[in-house]
Amino acid sequence: MRFDQELIAAMVAPHSRVLDIGCGDGSLIGHLSREKNCDAQGLELDMKAVTQSVAHGLPVMHGDADVVLADYPDGTFDYVVLQRTLQAVDCPRDVLRHMLRIGRLALVSFPNFGHWRLRWHLLRTGRMPMTSVWPTPWYETPNIHPCTIYDFFALCEEDGYEVCQWMVVNGNRQSHLAGCSPHLANLFGEQGLFLLRRKSEQKWNSRRRYKAVCRP
């Protein structure tokens, strides 16, 4: 698995019901099923990736998150994961709303368009940057809604989502320095990783239960 997927897996409690949106080759759901006995399934738009996953015995469905999530009943999952896909969906705000309707908790990772290297490239060249995180030219990219970590914090506040935990990922390591504050994260973080729940959701019966779900 990628390093950010390892971090996501560590935040999922054992024996949970998990939906992974944009699951790719199914590495994460395969790991969660084997190592944590989770009831994990995936949703993927790329038919080639779906075929690969199904061939390996993984429960992955072909579908568009902008359309399919509306068909799931409320509270179907414990966790709904959206890994590196938020910037590529047509309606990211609606997708997040559905994620926290059908799941108790949402795990969201996305590339941060506020990173200093991207700002410097735009300032220096006046052209859209290309990096390992943003690898395709503007006319071919699936990333139609790039956002910053500041933007995501603001959206969570506007829509009533509680940030249970967040961290910054740079390459194959977690950046503890950039994770000290949203300001540092927005400037020096390549990727943001957030664990969310609805603020209006009833508190867990005990602090121990809250930790088991939000911070396994």
Side-chain angles (χ1 to χ4, degrees):
M1 294 191 297
R2 298 190 315 262
F3 179 69
D4 60 306
Q5 291 176 319
E6 293 176 7
L7 294 175
I8 290 171
M11 297 166 77
V12 174
H15 309 289
S16 300
R17 299 164 298 164
V18 182
L19 174 66
D20 182 10
I21 302 168
C23 65
D25 62 3
S27 297
L28 178 61
I29 63 171
H31 173 85
L32 292 174
S33 299
R34 291 189 309 270
E35 304 299 327
K36 292 200 166 185
N37 295 314
C38 290
D39 178 8
Q41 55 186 275
L43 179 68
E44 174 59 49
L45 185 60
D46 183 347
M47 192 62 202
K48 183 178 179 181
V50 173
T51 303
Q52 259 186 334
S53 301
V54 172
H56 286 91
L58 297 172
V60 175
M61 183 178 73
H62 178 252
D64 185 342
D66 286 296
V67 178
V68 175
L69 293 185
D71 296 332
Y72 285 94
D74 294 359
T76 305
F77 303 98
D78 298 307
Y79 297 85
V80 181
V81 179
L82 187 70
Q83 49 170 315
R84 293 189 179 185
T85 306
L86 180 68
Q87 73 286 350
V89 297
D90 287 337
C91 303
R93 193 173 197 176
D94 289 344
V95 167
L96 284 172
R97 284 172 178 165
H98 280 301
M99 288 174 66
L100 283 163
R101 176 185 63 80
I102 67 176
R104 283 186 173 184
L105 296 158
L107 277 159
V108 183
S109 69
F110 58 90
N112 172 34
F113 203 72
H115 190 272
W116 72 268
R117 285 195 183 93
L118 304 184
R119 302 188 196 196
W120 172 244
H121 183 91
L122 280 168
L123 180 65
R124 182 172 59 87
T125 69
R127 300 185 62 182
M128 288 297 288
M130 287 179 59
T131 68
S132 58
V133 180
W134 302 88
T136 51
W138 67 269
Y139 48 83
E140 292 180 353
T141 181
N143 301 314
I144 56 177
H145 292 295
C147 72
T148 70
I149 288 175
Y150 268 177
D151 288 328
F152 193 77
F153 269 114
L155 180 60
C156 290
E157 183 62 29
E158 288 174 19
D159 286 0
Y161 305 144
E162 178 183 348
V163 179
C164 300
Q165 188 176 353
W166 66 276
M167 60 187 70
V168 170
V169 180
N170 287 341
N172 290 323
R173 64 182 180 86
Q174 181 183 348
S175 176
H176 296 284
L177 175 62
C180 288
S181 73
H183 176 71
L184 291 175
N186 200 54
L187 189 59
F188 297 111
E190 292 180 356
Q191 291 186 70
L193 173 56
F194 286 75
L195 176 64
L196 310 174
R197 71 175 181 178
R198 291 188 302 273
K199 285 184 179 178
S200 59
E201 183 173 307
Q202 185 177 0
K203 298 293 183 184
W204 305 110
N205 292 332
S206 69
R207 185 173 178 82
R208 184 177 179 184
R209 175 59 179 162
Y210 174 83
K211 285 185 177 180
V213 176
C214 272
R215 298 175 186 267

Coordinates of all heavy atoms in Angstrom, one line a residue, residues 154-183:
A154 N -12.2 25.2 6.1 CA -13.4 26.1 6.0 C -14.6 25.4 5.6 O -15.7 25.7 6.2 CB -13.0 27.2 5.0
L155 N -14.5 24.4 4.7 CA -15.7 23.7 4.3 C -16.3 22.9 5.5 O -17.5 22.8 5.7 CB -15.4 22.8 3.1 CG -16.5 21.9 2.6 CD1 -17.7 22.8 2.1 CD2 -16.0 21.0 1.5
C156 N -15.4 22.3 6.2 CA -15.8 21.5 7.4 C -16.6 22.4 8.4 O -17.6 21.9 8.9 CB -14.6 20.8 8.1 SG -13.9 19.5 7.1
E157 N -16.1 23.6 8.6 CA -16.8 24.5 9.5 C -18.1 24.9 9.0 O -19.1 25.0 9.7 CB -15.9 25.7 9.7 CG -16.4 26.7 10.7 CD -16.6 26.2 12.1 OE1 -15.8 25.3 12.5 OE2 -17.5 26.6 12.8
E158 N -18.2 25.2 7.7 CA -19.4 25.7 7.1 C -20.5 24.6 7.1 O -21.7 24.9 7.3 CB -19.2 26.1 5.6 CG -18.4 27.4 5.4 CD -18.1 27.6 4.0 OE1 -18.7 27.0 3.1 OE2 -17.2 28.4 3.7
D159 N -20.1 23.3 6.9 CA -21.1 22.3 6.7 C -21.3 21.4 8.0 O -22.0 20.5 8.0 CB -20.7 21.3 5.6 CG -21.0 21.9 4.2 OD1 -21.4 23.1 4.2 OD2 -20.7 21.3 3.2
G160 N -20.6 21.9 9.1 CA -20.9 21.2 10.4 C -20.2 19.9 10.6 O -20.8 19.0 11.2
Y161 N -19.0 19.8 10.1 CA -18.2 18.5 10.3 C -17.1 18.7 11.4 O -16.4 19.7 11.4 CB -17.5 18.1 9.0 CG -18.4 17.9 7.8 CD1 -18.0 18.3 6.6 CD2 -19.7 17.5 8.0 CE1 -18.9 18.1 5.5 CE2 -20.6 17.3 6.9 CZ -20.1 17.7 5.7 OH -21.0 17.6 4.6
E162 N -17.1 17.8 12.3 CA -16.0 17.9 13.3 C -14.8 17.2 12.8 O -14.9 16.0 12.4 CB -16.5 17.2 14.6 CG -15.5 17.2 15.7 CD -16.0 16.5 17.0 OE1 -17.2 16.2 17.0 OE2 -15.2 16.2 17.8
V163 N -13.7 17.8 12.9 CA -12.4 17.2 12.6 C -11.9 16.5 13.8 O -11.3 17.1 14.7 CB -11.4 18.3 12.1 CG1 -10.0 17.6 11.7 CG2 -11.9 19.0 10.9
C164 N -12.0 15.1 13.8 CA -11.6 14.3 14.9 C -10.1 14.2 15.0 O -9.5 14.2 16.0 CB -12.2 12.9 14.8 SG -14.0 12.8 14.9
Q165 N -9.5 14.2 13.8 CA -8.0 14.0 13.7 C -7.6 14.5 12.3 O -8.4 14.3 11.3 CB -7.6 12.6 13.9 CG -6.1 12.3 14.0 CD -5.8 10.8 14.3 OE1 -6.8 10.0 14.6 NE2 -4.6 10.5 14.3
W166 N -6.4 15.1 12.2 CA -5.9 15.4 10.9 C -4.4 15.3 10.9 O -3.8 15.5 12.0 CB -6.4 16.8 10.4 CG -5.9 18.0 11.2 CD1 -6.4 18.4 12.4 CD2 -4.7 18.8 10.9 NE1 -5.6 19.5 12.8 CE2 -4.6 19.7 12.0 CE3 -3.8 18.8 9.9 CZ2 -3.6 20.7 12.0 CZ3 -2.8 19.8 9.9 CH2 -2.7 20.7 10.9
M167 N -3.8 15.1 9.7 CA -2.4 15.0 9.6 C -1.9 15.4 8.2 O -2.7 15.5 7.3 CB -1.9 13.6 10.0 CG -2.4 12.5 9.1 SD -2.0 10.8 9.7 CE -3.0 10.7 11.1
V168 N -0.6 15.6 8.1 CA 0.0 16.0 6.8 C 0.9 14.9 6.3 O 1.7 14.4 7.1 CB 0.7 17.3 7.0 CG1 1.6 17.7 5.7 CG2 -0.2 18.5 7.3
V169 N 0.8 14.6 5.1 CA 1.7 13.6 4.5 C 2.6 14.2 3.4 O 2.0 14.9 2.5 CB 0.9 12.4 3.8 CG1 1.8 11.4 3.2 CG2 0.0 11.8 4.9
N170 N 3.9 14.1 3.5 CA 4.8 14.5 2.5 C 5.6 13.3 1.9 O 6.4 12.8 2.6 CB 5.8 15.6 3.0 CG 5.1 16.9 3.3 OD1 4.1 17.2 2.8 ND2 5.7 17.7 4.2
G171 N 5.3 12.9 0.7 CA 5.9 11.8 0.1 C 5.6 10.5 0.9 O 4.4 10.2 1.1
N172 N 6.6 9.8 1.4 CA 6.4 8.6 2.2 C 6.6 8.8 3.7 O 7.1 7.9 4.4 CB 7.3 7.5 1.7 CG 6.9 7.0 0.3 OD1 5.7 6.9 0.0 ND2 7.9 6.7 -0.6
R173 N 6.2 10.0 4.2 CA 6.4 10.2 5.6 C 5.3 11.2 6.1 O 4.8 12.0 5.3 CB 7.8 10.8 5.9 CG 8.1 12.1 5.3 CD 9.4 12.6 5.7 NE 9.7 13.9 5.1 CZ 9.4 15.1 5.7 NH1 8.8 15.1 6.9 NH2 9.6 16.2 5.1
Q174 N 5.0 11.1 7.3 CA 4.1 12.0 8.0 C 4.9 13.2 8.5 O 5.9 13.0 9.2 CB 3.4 11.4 9.1 CG 2.4 12.3 9.8 CD 1.7 11.6 11.0 OE1 1.8 10.4 11.2 NE2 1.0 12.4 11.8
S175 N 4.5 14.4 8.1 CA 5.2 15.6 8.5 C 4.6 16.1 9.9 O 3.5 16.7 9.9 CB 5.1 16.7 7.5 OG 5.7 17.9 7.9
H176 N 5.2 15.9 11.0 CA 4.7 16.3 12.3 C 4.9 17.8 12.4 O 4.1 18.5 13.1 CB 5.5 15.6 13.4 CG 5.2 14.1 13.4 ND1 4.1 13.6 13.9 CD2 6.0 13.1 13.0 CE1 4.1 12.2 13.8 NE2 5.3 11.9 13.2
L177 N 5.9 18.4 11.8 CA 6.1 19.8 11.9 C 5.0 20.6 11.2 O 4.4 21.5 11.7 CB 7.5 20.2 11.2 CG 7.7 21.8 11.1 CD1 7.8 22.4 12.5 CD2 9.0 22.0 10.4
A178 N 4.7 20.2 9.9 CA 3.6 20.8 9.2 C 2.3 20.5 9.8 O 1.3 21.3 9.7 CB 3.6 20.3 7.7
G179 N 2.2 19.5 10.6 CA 0.9 19.1 11.2 C 0.7 19.9 12.6 O -0.3 19.7 13.2
C180 N 1.6 20.8 12.9 CA 1.5 21.5 14.2 C 0.4 22.6 14.1 O -0.2 22.9 15.1 CB 2.8 22.2 14.5 SG 4.1 21.1 15.0
S181 N 0.1 23.1 12.9 CA -0.9 24.1 12.8 C -1.5 24.1 11.3 O -0.8 23.7 10.4 CB -0.4 25.5 13.1 OG 0.5 25.9 12.0
P182 N -2.7 24.5 11.2 CA -3.3 24.6 9.8 C -2.4 25.5 8.9 O -2.3 25.3 7.7 CB -4.7 25.2 10.0 CG -5.1 24.7 11.4 CD -3.8 24.8 12.2
H183 N -1.9 26.6 9.5 CA -1.0 27.5 8.6 C 0.2 26.8 8.1 O 0.5 26.9 6.9 CB -0.6 28.7 9.5 CG 0.3 29.6 8.7 ND1 -0.1 30.4 7.7 CD2 1.6 29.9 8.9 CE1 0.9 31.1 7.2 NE2 2.0 30.8 7.9

